[in-house]
Amino acid sequence: MSSVAVLTQESFAEHRSGLKDIKIMGSVPEDEAYIPTYLEAFPPLPDKGALGEKTGEAAGAWSKIRPIKASVITQVFHVPLEERRYKDNSQFGEGEEAKVCLDIMQKTGAHIELSLAKDQGLSIMVTGKLDSVMKARKEIVARLQTQASATVLIPKEHHRFVIGKNGEKLQDLELKTATKIAIPRSDDPNANICITGTKEGIEKARHEMQLISAEQDKRAVECLSLEKAFHPFITGAYNRLVQELSQETGARISVPPPSLPKDEIVITGEKEAVAIAIARVRAIYEEKKQKTTTISVEVKKSQHKYIVGPKGNTLQEILENTGVSVEMPPLESASETIILRGEPEKLGPALTQVYAKAKSVIELKVIAPAWLHRFIIGKKGQNISRITQQLPKVHIEFTDGEERINLEGPTEEVEQAQAQLQEIIKDLMARMDYAEINIDQRFHRHLIGKNGANINRIKEQYKVSVRIPQDSEHCGLVRIEGDPQGVQLARKELMDMAQRMENERMKDLIIEQKFHRTIIGQKGERIKEVRDKFPEVIIIFPDQQQKSDIVQLRGPKNEVEKCAKFLQKLIAELVESSFSISVPILKQFHKNIIGKGGANIKRIREETSTKIDLPTENSNSEIIVITGKKSNCDAARDRILAIQKELANLKEAEVSIPAKLHNSLIGSKGSLVRSVMEECGGVHIHFPSEGSGLDKVTIRGPAEEVERARKQLLQLAEEKQVNNFSVELQAKPEYHKFLIGRGGANIRRVRDRTGARIIFPSTDETEQKHITIMGKEEAVRLAQKELETLIKNLDDVIEDSMVVDPRHHRHFVCRRGQVLRDLAEDYGGVAVSFPRTSTQSDRITLKGPRECVDAAKYRIQEIIRELESQVSVEVAIPQRYHRGVMGPKGCRIQQITWEHEVQIKFPDRDESAAQESASQENGETDNILRKCDIITVTGQAEKCELARATLLALVPVTIDVEVSYDLHRYIIGQKGSGIRKMMEDYEVNVWVPQPEQQSNIIKITGQVSSVERARQGLLERVKELQAELEDRALRSFKVTLSVDSKYHPKIIGRKGAVISQIRKDFDVSVQFPDKSDEQQDVITIGGYEKNANEARAAIEQLVAVLQEMVSEDIRLDRRVHARIIGARGKTIRKLMDEFNVDIQFPQPGSEDPNKVTITGLPENVDNAIDHLLNLEEEYMLTVTETATMAAYMKPPSKAVGAGGNYEDRKALAKGFVVRNAPWNAQGNKAPDVISSEEFPTFGYGITPKQTSAWGPKKW
């Protein structure tokens, strides 16, 4: 780390007085004080580059935060060259191996690093979680190591015996040999069977299949039972001898592999060939049995694999070189005895090779604490990679949780790796330490912080690693590893945090969830202010999905209480301002309430401080919701109702109903009063608020409907007073529409017959099954009986069928079965099933309540009659207009289809017709109708004609409107805003000719009605523009006035107040001459002739008054100027207004700083002068007293007096001096220490820069 020297006052004194005992070299005399260099006195800050290098790692840690609580292991293993699947080293790191590793990393989440050893083997280091590393290693072995494959020729007729019954034999063979066996299909003439797997497995599988084939072969098959120990002499090294025998004799010789404990050698083929082969094999066996002997040696079990070699190659190599067979004990056996069999003279060299192979590779263990493993591996495995690159044949394995490291490889290289690892461990043990602290698990997430902020800060600050156990471990032990000092500091901070959290208090506040968003504010601004006010308190809001009202506060007790009180006060204000009322306003008046550009609604919101929500344009709701304080909401409601009253011929009536009956008239959740409003044409009935005690109920709406609603309310009130009886029925919601009937016919019939009122639940009510019947008890019972009968009939579900011509089926099932859904909704949920198109059936099935089924059948027959009476009408509209006729996303066609109940089909687009449209648009017409121009309309005859007329009305037409070319630019508007607005308002396209054409014709294209409206709008705009031009001509009148320039500032006034008032009063423009104009006295006035002359007269009158004014100069002591002017000129402005004069103080640096000029009428000037002189006399007394007191309190002068000696004066004059300062370099200038600008001082000794009380002059 860089060190920074701090130069204190004591250091200065020591430098100046020469107290430091420093040996000074050079020409500086010993008796003089030592003068430090500039770098000694002001040492530089650390180099930016060095700092960046040290902090770069820390910065990188933020961008790659390693997962906390992750258990990471690293495994390194080696793939020999002969087992590598991809051996092309020219593209190492970019070829297939890299692609495979990348794919494995993406699948498993482990990190893989490849390196190439000197023997061209592959070193692979895998890092990650244990399960990820295991999965990655399995994938690597399967995809990067070779999988041997071989083919064996088995006669085609024997394949079925290899497969076995239901493939059981083949599956068993694959399971035992761990191979994959591919047998060609029966229709494939190929007889070769492919085996894939390890070499041993392939050999086992081949042998087994050859045995099966031999058993089934009609040729001679001989089995020789020879001792297993002599089989290697029969096969020879690498099976060369047995292959030679097979070639010479023509017989197939099948010798069981070493791993298969069988003695039988099977020889198949021609009898003569088999006999010769048997003789040759027996001869070899007898010879070896007589000449060979055996010796046994003990070799560690762990070294056996090095004697066997990869795929048994080492054993074959010893057999080839010495003629001695080496018999290895099975892998599952604990025996360490190896038997060598061969001729006596050859056993010695063979034994030597066995020992050499056994000792070629050793295993060692290095002891290292488990917590130190990841530091030994290094960041991204760099330490281990360095060792494995130097010693590529060494395999290093770390085991998670064990305090040892396993090394495997050649003896010399393993020992070197062991020494390097021990050196790394020794170094790490010397400079690394760890500590474990027990912290309650409930505090762990607070220690970690949001997104790991707290724990990462501690890691970076103290350069340590902190391991916090996962929640599932139920452990409170936190482990810190790293530099000893950093470990202790981190431990202390974590303990302090835990202690602080133990002393914290948590409090739950109940706040309705609807207020949470308001308290948080937009982008969290409001809650940020609260958190800034209470920084030690953590405020936690629940997730919106939890639907919880609990807000948690956590922090020091006092701060939590203060924060809770603050939030409760805030909630009380929110509750007060969250009062809301609903105002029913007719839908057609909503746009008038909004106003142009939202002006009306914005003004109401601002003036009443309320929130006003209107329903969306496509909504059927008429309710406007007002939210805010109660008084403000009432004011906003009154203003909105006033707008509606002005626009509509609405009547408002009041009916007096006892307050005790209001709740019963409103009904459950407003159901009763809502039914009255719906019956009476949508009138609005307003009851007074509960508890007010008022009897007046307000009814608002059309006159006739208001009277009807009034009568119903009075009748209901009378019924309530006489006999208020009600019952509830339950019926499935899907039955409701059928009970009500089309247009309410069924329910109206029941009401008329019984006199009871029947109320169905609205769609927004939670309980949809309840039907309420209200009225007199007798009427209610009668209506209840009728409805129960209807509901019972509806519950009687039957299944019926009817015949419908298949050509009409599509009408019912098209549009995702909309017609069927409508039938189910209107007729008590009846289910209608149509047959599949492939069956060609004409019978449909209906299932549901009997009455609903009958009604649905009748309705289906009506629909069929309508379909059969449909006609098709052709409408000829040129194809180029089809897109405009359809409208955006086909909205116009959808509207016509819905309004007229027809189907409209457009022809396919013809590209050749589109190319001819250009000539037709230029005026050429073609009376020949093309197929692509015909639109087909299908439906009832009269409705088709209406739809046809509507379609033709949508065909755009083009008209010419003559408008003077001079007005075109005003019609277009700034950046085309005018013409764009016209096209949007009238839904037309307006074409204005190019300027170079200078044409007066503007073309308007669109629907007939829209074009006509656009033409009228364009002509009205032309009239407005012509009126504006005429008005502009009248306003262009100008008159000039000659006024002495010295009066111009007075005419303009302070900040232009006087001239602005003249411009406003007379609606004129007044221009004063520029400094560059020759005539400096001329003032130009522009506007209407009358206004300009009146403004001229007003200015002349003002000048006459100014000419009568005089200017007087007086002398006022400059020390009292500031008090006379006052703060920001407030006092002097008051004086000028009082005496009606202008007072000017001298500018800074003027020749006479005491001179003050007063301008005004003579009498006013004299009065102002007298007042100013009186103020000066009063203020000077205070100034004199202040100066006298300052003289006594002034500190002794630091200037050198006559009594000072020469040395003191010299030292003071010299000051603090440094050598080799930057300003001593050639071309640089030393700073002037006397200058107050370069070295400003503090205190009253500085004379403030004098400025005018009025600011800089403007003229």
Side-chain angles (χ1 to χ4, degrees):
M1 293 179 63
S2 301
S3 61
V4 180
V6 180
L7 194 61
T8 63
Q9 291 183 353
E10 290 78 5
S11 302
F12 281 133
E14 289 176 358
H15 280 306
R16 294 177 63 183
S17 60
L19 293 178
K20 289 193 173 179
D21 187 15
I22 303 173
K23 186 176 180 180
I24 304 170
M25 305 298 294
S27 60
V28 182
E30 293 182 0
D31 58 346
E32 290 189 11
Y34 173 66
I35 300 175
T37 65
Y38 181 79
L39 291 177
E40 290 173 344
F42 306 102
L45 292 173
D47 183 57
K48 183 178 178 183
L51 184 63
E53 292 170 3
K54 293 185 179 182
T55 59
E57 184 178 348
W62 286 99
S63 60
K64 297 182 179 178
I65 298 175
R66 299 184 67 181
I68 304 167
K69 308 178 185 176
S71 178
V72 179
I73 67 165
T74 300
Q75 286 195 6
V76 182
F77 55 95
H78 189 70
V79 178
L81 175 64
E82 60 272 10
E83 295 183 16
R84 285 179 57 188
R85 175 166 291 181
Y86 308 104
K87 300 181 181 179
D88 182 10
N89 295 329
S90 61
Q91 292 184 341
F92 182 73
E94 300 179 359
E96 290 298 324
E97 286 177 340
K99 292 179 182 178
V100 169
C101 287
L102 185 61
D103 184 46
I104 295 171
M105 284 194 289
Q106 289 176 348
K107 284 182 179 178
T108 63
H111 179 73
I112 301 172
E113 291 188 14
L114 299 180
S115 60
L116 199 62
K118 291 180 180 178
D119 62 353
Q120 302 303 308
L122 203 61
S123 290
I124 304 170
M125 183 170 70
V126 186
T127 306
K129 292 184 179 180
L130 181 61
D131 56 342
S132 300
V133 170
M134 294 297 102
K135 290 178 183 178
R137 183 164 185 170
K138 181 180 178 182
E139 288 281 333
I140 289 169
V141 170
R143 298 174 66 177
L144 292 184
Q145 285 189 262
T146 56
Q147 293 286 304
S149 63
T151 58
V152 56
L153 182 63
I154 302 294
K156 195 73 176 175
E157 59 272 15
H158 297 169
H159 285 190
R160 61 193 183 93
F161 299 103
V162 175
I163 297 171
K165 187 177 181 181
N166 297 325
E168 292 177 358
K169 202 165 188 178
L170 179 62
Q171 291 175 8
D172 186 52
L173 183 60
E174 287 181 335
L175 191 63
K176 284 199 302 185
T177 61
T179 58
K180 180 68 178 175
I181 302 172
I183 298 177
R185 296 170 61 88
S186 56
D187 53 354
D188 188 349
N190 183 17
N192 287 323
I193 296 176
C194 182
I195 311 169
T196 305
T198 61
K199 188 174 181 182
E200 290 182 1
I202 290 173
E203 290 297 330
K204 289 180 183 178
R206 178 190 283 122
H207 178 70
E208 291 292 337
M209 286 191 290
Q210 286 174 345
L211 286 178
I212 293 169
S213 178
E215 290 174 3
Q216 302 300 326
D217 200 340
K218 294 180 181 179
R219 296 180 297 172
V221 178
E222 293 289 343
C223 292
L224 294 179
S225 183
L226 304 177
E227 292 181 43
K228 182 77 174 178
F230 294 97
H231 286 191
F233 300 109
I234 297 169
T235 58
Y238 301 105
N239 291 328
R240 290 173 186 162
L241 183 56
V242 74
Q243 290 174 2
E244 290 175 0
L245 287 174
S246 295
Q247 289 177 358
E248 290 176 5
T249 62
R252 285 190 301 173
I253 304 173
S254 178
V255 180
S259 57
L260 196 66
K262 287 187 177 181
D263 294 339
E264 293 87 359
I265 297 176
V266 179
I267 305 174
T268 60
E270 298 292 336
K271 290 184 179 181
E272 293 180 2
V274 169
I276 296 171
I278 290 174
R280 294 283 299 274
V281 169
R282 285 190 180 278
I284 295 170
Y285 171 71
E286 295 297 337
E287 178 186 0
K288 292 299 179 183
K289 192 171 182 181
Q290 293 176 2
K291 292 183 179 182
T292 61
T293 184
T294 62
I295 59 172
S296 300
V297 293
E298 298 290 327
V299 179
K300 287 184 179 180
K301 189 74 174 179
S302 59
Q303 304 301 111
H304 285 195
K305 58 184 177 181
Y306 309 120
I307 298 173
V308 175
K311 300 181 181 179
N313 286 338
T314 304
L315 295 177
Q316 299 294 328
E317 181 184 343
I318 294 172
L319 179 62
E320 184 180 26
N321 294 336
T322 64
V324 175
S325 169
V326 181
E327 299 172 16
M328 306 294 298
L331 292 175
E332 59 272 12
S333 171
S335 174
E336 295 182 343
T337 304
I338 298 175
I339 299 173
L340 281 74
R341 187 183 302 275
E343 297 177 9
E345 65 273 11
K346 297 180 179 179
L347 289 175
L351 184 60
T352 303
Q353 288 194 29
V354 167
Y355 278 125
K357 295 295 183 183
K359 293 181 179 180
S360 63
V361 178
I362 63 170
E363 289 184 357
L364 287 179
K365 295 177 182 177
V366 179
I367 304 302
W371 66 271
L372 211 59
H373 285 188
R374 63 192 192 88
F375 299 104
I376 297 170
I377 294 169
K379 190 176 182 181
K380 296 184 179 179
Q382 59 185 7
N383 294 345
I384 290 300
S385 296
R386 188 163 54 248
I387 296 173
T388 53
Q389 287 173 4
Q390 293 175 1
L391 309 168
K393 295 182 179 179
V394 177
H395 174 67
I396 305 174
E397 183 177 358
F398 292 81
T399 306
D400 193 19
E402 295 185 10
E403 298 192 344
R404 59 186 174 82
I405 303 169
N406 297 324
L407 306 180
E408 181 183 311
T411 306
E412 293 181 1
E413 292 192 5
V414 166
E415 290 174 352
Q416 292 179 28
Q418 182 186 26
Q420 292 185 29
L421 281 174
Q422 287 174 342
E423 186 178 348
I424 293 172
I425 292 167
K426 184 179 179 182
D427 176 62
L428 289 173
M429 291 293 288
R431 60 185 179 86
M432 300 289 287
D433 194 5
Y434 76 93
E436 292 181 342
I437 52 177
N438 203 343
I439 297 176
D440 196 324
Q441 195 175 17
R442 58 196 170 97
F443 298 140
H444 286 186
R445 62 191 183 95
H446 305 300
L447 293 179
I448 295 169
K450 188 176 182 181
N451 296 327
N454 294 344
I455 205 69
N456 286 329
R457 177 185 59 76
I458 292 172
K459 287 179 180 179
E460 295 301 325
Q461 184 175 348
Y462 302 116
K463 306 298 181 186
V464 295
S465 171
V466 183
R467 292 179 175 271
I468 298 177
Q470 296 183 1
D471 293 341
S472 58
E473 296 178 21
H474 302 292
C475 175
L477 200 65
V478 177
R479 187 183 179 94
I480 311 167
E481 301 168 356
D483 178 71
Q485 185 178 359
V487 167
Q488 294 304 318
L489 292 172
R491 180 181 180 277
K492 183 177 182 301
E493 182 164 344
L494 286 173
M495 292 294 290
D496 291 344
M497 289 173 67
Q499 186 68 26
R500 192 165 58 250
M501 283 183 283
E502 284 181 357
N503 296 330
E504 283 184 347
R505 182 187 172 185
M506 184 177 289
K507 185 171 183 177
D508 292 343
L509 282 182
I510 305 300
I511 301 175
E512 289 186 56
Q513 194 176 37
K514 64 181 180 180
F515 295 128
H516 291 186
R517 186 183 294 275
T518 309
I519 294 172
I520 294 170
Q522 188 175 11
K523 296 182 180 179
E525 293 176 356
R526 197 163 182 178
I527 197 63
K528 186 177 182 297
E529 293 176 3
V530 179
R531 285 173 174 154
D532 292 342
K533 192 170 184 177
F534 304 98
E536 296 182 23
V537 179
I538 298 173
I539 306 171
I540 304 171
F541 287 87
D543 289 340
Q544 290 183 349
Q545 298 175 352
Q546 294 180 0
K547 304 295 183 184
S548 174
D549 295 337
I550 298 175
V551 177
Q552 290 184 345
L553 306 181
R554 191 179 70 250
K557 182 179 178 181
N558 294 336
E559 291 296 313
V560 166
E561 291 298 332
K562 290 178 184 177
C563 184
K565 289 179 180 178
F566 179 81
L567 286 176
Q568 286 169 350
K569 184 179 177 182
L570 181 63
I571 294 159
E573 293 175 358
L574 289 174
V575 170
E576 184 183 358
S577 61
S578 63
F579 177 80
S580 65
I581 55 175
S582 299
V583 185
I585 299 294
L586 296 176
K587 190 74 174 179
Q588 61 265 34
F589 300 133
H590 284 197
K591 61 181 180 181
N592 304 96
I593 290 168
I594 295 171
K596 188 174 183 181
N600 292 351
I601 198 71
K602 185 178 179 182
R603 185 169 61 254
I604 296 172
R605 284 170 177 160
E606 291 175 353
E607 293 177 0
T608 61
S609 300
T610 56
K611 178 185 175 185
I612 303 174
D613 295 321
L614 287 89
T616 56
E617 190 175 350
N618 55 0
S619 170
N620 294 325
S621 175
E622 296 183 344
I623 301 300
I624 297 176
V625 180
I626 307 171
T627 307
K629 293 184 178 180
K630 186 175 184 304
S631 57
N632 295 343
C633 290
D634 292 338
R637 180 186 62 188
D638 295 340
R639 294 187 60 170
I640 291 173
L641 291 174
I643 293 173
Q644 179 181 238
K645 193 171 182 180
E646 290 176 5
L647 295 169
N649 182 21
L650 297 180
K651 180 183 177 182
E652 187 174 298
E654 291 182 349
V655 57
S656 182
I657 297 175
K660 63 181 181 179
L661 298 177
H662 287 185
N663 284 340
S664 58
L665 289 178
I666 293 171
S668 176
K669 298 181 181 179
S671 57
L672 182 57
V673 75
R674 188 166 53 247
S675 67
V676 174
M677 288 191 291
E678 289 174 358
E679 282 186 24
C680 299
V683 297
H684 300 296
I685 302 174
H686 176 69
F687 284 83
S689 57
E690 189 174 359
S692 64
L694 299 176
D695 295 340
K696 290 183 179 179
V697 178
T698 306
I699 308 171
R700 188 183 302 109
E704 295 179 2
E705 301 298 338
V706 166
E707 183 60 27
R708 183 179 168 195
R710 188 182 70 82
K711 289 179 179 179
Q712 283 205 28
L713 280 179
L714 290 173
Q715 182 183 352
L716 283 171
E718 185 179 352
E719 291 176 2
K720 293 291 182 184
Q721 287 178 327
V722 174
N723 192 0
N724 185 14
F725 186 77
S726 66
V727 296
E728 283 189 350
L729 291 178
Q730 284 195 349
K732 294 179 182 178
E734 54 265 28
Y735 292 167
H736 290 188
K737 280 202 171 184
F738 183 77
L739 293 174
I740 295 169
R742 183 171 292 183
N746 295 348
I747 206 65
R748 195 180 300 114
R749 190 162 54 247
V750 175
R751 284 175 182 169
D752 294 342
R753 197 159 46 239
T754 63
R757 176 172 294 278
I758 303 169
I759 302 168
F760 286 85
S762 60
T763 54
D764 57 349
E765 290 184 24
T766 54
E767 190 54 65
Q768 292 287 312
K769 292 184 178 181
H770 291 296
I771 301 172
T772 305
I773 309 173
M774 304 177 68
K776 294 181 180 180
E777 184 175 0
E778 183 183 353
V780 169
R781 295 296 183 192
L782 185 59
Q784 180 185 8
K785 186 177 180 181
E786 287 197 24
L787 285 178
E788 285 176 345
T789 304
L790 286 173
I791 294 168
K792 186 177 180 182
N793 293 337
L794 291 175
D795 287 335
D796 182 16
V797 178
I798 65 165
E799 185 172 329
D800 199 356
S801 63
M802 63 181 296
V803 175
V804 176
D805 195 318
R807 61 194 174 94
H808 298 315
H809 287 190
R810 187 176 179 278
H811 173 79
F812 290 91
V813 299
C814 67
R815 292 181 298 162
R816 298 182 181 179
Q818 182 61 43
V819 177
L820 296 180
R821 285 201 299 273
D822 292 343
L823 284 171
E825 187 175 350
D826 292 341
Y827 299 103
V830 64
V832 184
S833 302
F834 278 78
R836 296 183 179 275
T837 54
S838 57
T839 60
Q840 298 295 324
S841 174
D842 59 357
R843 185 166 295 277
I844 67 171
T845 304
L846 296 90
K847 186 176 182 180
R850 183 180 300 277
E851 292 189 6
C852 296
V853 168
D854 294 340
K857 286 173 66 177
Y858 181 75
R859 177 58 186 152
I860 291 171
Q861 289 170 352
E862 283 184 349
I863 294 171
I864 293 169
R865 284 195 294 272
E866 291 174 1
L867 291 174
E868 290 177 347
S869 63
Q870 283 183 352
V871 297
S872 293
V873 177
E874 293 184 349
V875 184
I877 296 176
Q879 185 181 359
R880 64 178 180 273
Y881 298 135
H882 286 187
R883 187 185 298 274
V885 170
M886 290 180 184
K889 297 183 180 179
C891 62
R892 293 173 181 164
I893 291 302
Q894 292 172 7
Q895 184 68 18
I896 295 171
T897 304
W898 181 77
E899 284 182 0
H900 301 291
E901 298 178 0
V902 296
Q903 294 181 359
I904 302 174
K905 182 180 179 182
F906 280 78
D908 295 335
R909 184 173 177 79
D910 189 352
E911 295 299 333
S912 61
Q915 296 174 359
E916 298 174 8
S917 62
S919 62
Q920 294 182 1
E921 288 175 358
N922 293 329
E924 300 175 11
T925 59
D926 187 0
N927 293 328
I928 301 174
L929 291 177
R930 294 182 295 268
K931 186 177 180 181
C932 62
D933 296 337
I934 303 301
I935 300 172
T936 305
V937 183
T938 305
Q940 301 297 321
E942 63 278 5
K943 292 182 179 179
C944 286
E945 289 300 325
L946 292 173
R948 180 177 180 277
T950 307
L951 283 173
L952 291 173
L954 292 175
V955 177
V957 297
T958 302
I959 64 170
D960 295 343
V961 182
E962 187 171 354
V963 178
S964 176
Y965 168 74
D966 297 335
L967 300 178
H968 286 189
R969 61 194 182 97
Y970 302 111
I971 292 170
I972 294 171
Q974 188 176 12
K975 295 183 180 180
S977 59
I979 200 73
R980 191 161 51 248
K981 185 176 184 306
M982 183 177 292
M983 288 192 288
E984 290 174 357
D985 291 346
Y986 299 110
E987 296 181 357
V988 295
N989 184 32
V990 182
W991 178 82
V992 180
Q994 296 294 329
E996 56 270 13
Q997 296 180 5
Q998 295 192 354
S999 172
N1000 294 335
I1001 301 301
I1002 293 178
K1003 295 182 179 292
I1004 303 174
T1005 303
Q1007 299 175 23
V1008 178
S1009 58
S1010 300
V1011 167
E1012 184 57 32
R1013 286 190 297 110
R1015 188 179 72 84
Q1016 293 296 334
L1018 181 59
L1019 293 176
E1020 288 176 6
R1021 178 61 179 153
V1022 169
K1023 289 179 182 178
E1024 291 175 5
L1025 291 172
Q1026 288 173 345
E1028 287 177 9
L1029 291 175
E1030 292 173 1
D1031 183 66
R1032 193 177 292 122
L1034 293 174
R1035 290 177 64 89
S1036 63
F1037 178 79
K1038 288 186 179 180
V1039 65
T1040 57
L1041 176 65
S1042 181
V1043 177
D1044 194 331
S1045 59
K1046 67 180 180 180
Y1047 297 124
H1048 288 187
K1050 299 295 183 183
I1051 297 171
I1052 294 171
R1054 186 170 179 269
K1055 293 185 179 180
V1058 177
I1059 197 64
S1060 297
Q1061 190 63 39
I1062 292 172
R1063 288 169 176 157
K1064 182 179 178 182
D1065 293 343
F1066 301 102
D1067 190 20
V1068 294
S1069 64
V1070 183
Q1071 294 181 349
F1072 288 85
D1074 294 333
K1075 292 181 180 180
S1076 59
D1077 292 347
E1078 294 180 0
Q1079 296 180 346
Q1080 289 293 311
D1081 299 338
V1082 177
I1083 299 175
T1084 305
I1085 305 170
Y1088 294 113
E1089 184 176 357
K1090 179 183 177 183
N1091 295 353
N1093 290 328
E1094 289 176 355
R1096 177 181 178 180
I1099 293 174
E1100 287 175 345
Q1101 184 179 355
L1102 181 60
V1103 171
V1105 174
L1106 292 173
Q1107 287 174 348
E1108 294 177 5
M1109 292 183 179
V1110 295
S1111 293
E1112 292 285 346
D1113 295 338
I1114 63 171
R1115 296 179 59 77
L1116 297 177
D1117 195 300
R1118 60 188 176 89
R1119 289 175 292 178
V1120 301
H1121 286 188
R1123 291 196 63 179
I1124 293 172
I1125 294 170
R1128 298 183 181 180
K1130 185 177 181 181
T1131 307
I1132 198 64
R1133 280 200 300 274
K1134 186 177 180 182
L1135 286 176
M1136 290 193 293
D1137 293 340
E1138 182 180 348
F1139 295 102
N1140 196 18
V1141 295
D1142 180 42
I1143 304 174
Q1144 291 185 357
F1145 286 83
Q1147 294 290 332
S1150 62
E1151 295 180 358
D1152 188 356
N1154 299 324
K1155 177 182 174 183
V1156 178
T1157 303
I1158 301 99
T1159 303
L1161 295 175
E1163 184 180 355
N1164 296 344
V1165 170
D1166 292 339
N1167 293 335
I1169 290 173
D1170 292 341
H1171 185 75
L1172 288 172
L1173 291 174
N1174 291 335
L1175 287 176
E1176 181 194 26
E1177 184 178 354
E1178 180 184 344
Y1179 293 157
M1180 280 304 294
L1181 291 174
T1182 308
V1183 171
T1184 306
E1185 290 176 2
T1186 305
T1188 304
M1189 291 298 294
Y1192 284 105
M1193 300 177 68
K1194 186 174 182 182
S1197 174
K1198 293 183 181 179
V1200 179
N1205 58 37
Y1206 174 75
E1207 293 298 330
D1208 292 338
R1209 291 198 301 273
K1210 181 180 178 183
L1212 288 171
K1214 188 175 181 181
F1216 175 64
V1217 181
V1218 295
R1219 295 178 289 120
N1220 302 330
W1223 52 78
N1224 292 337
Q1226 186 176 0
N1228 293 341
K1229 179 185 175 184
D1232 184 4
V1233 296
I1234 302 175
S1235 171
S1236 60
E1237 292 184 3
E1238 296 190 16
F1239 294 91
T1241 58
F1242 298 97
Y1244 61 86
I1246 303 173
T1247 303
K1249 187 177 179 181
Q1250 294 182 353
T1251 57
S1252 171
W1254 300 102
K1257 285 189 176 182
K1258 296 185 179 179
W1259 56 83

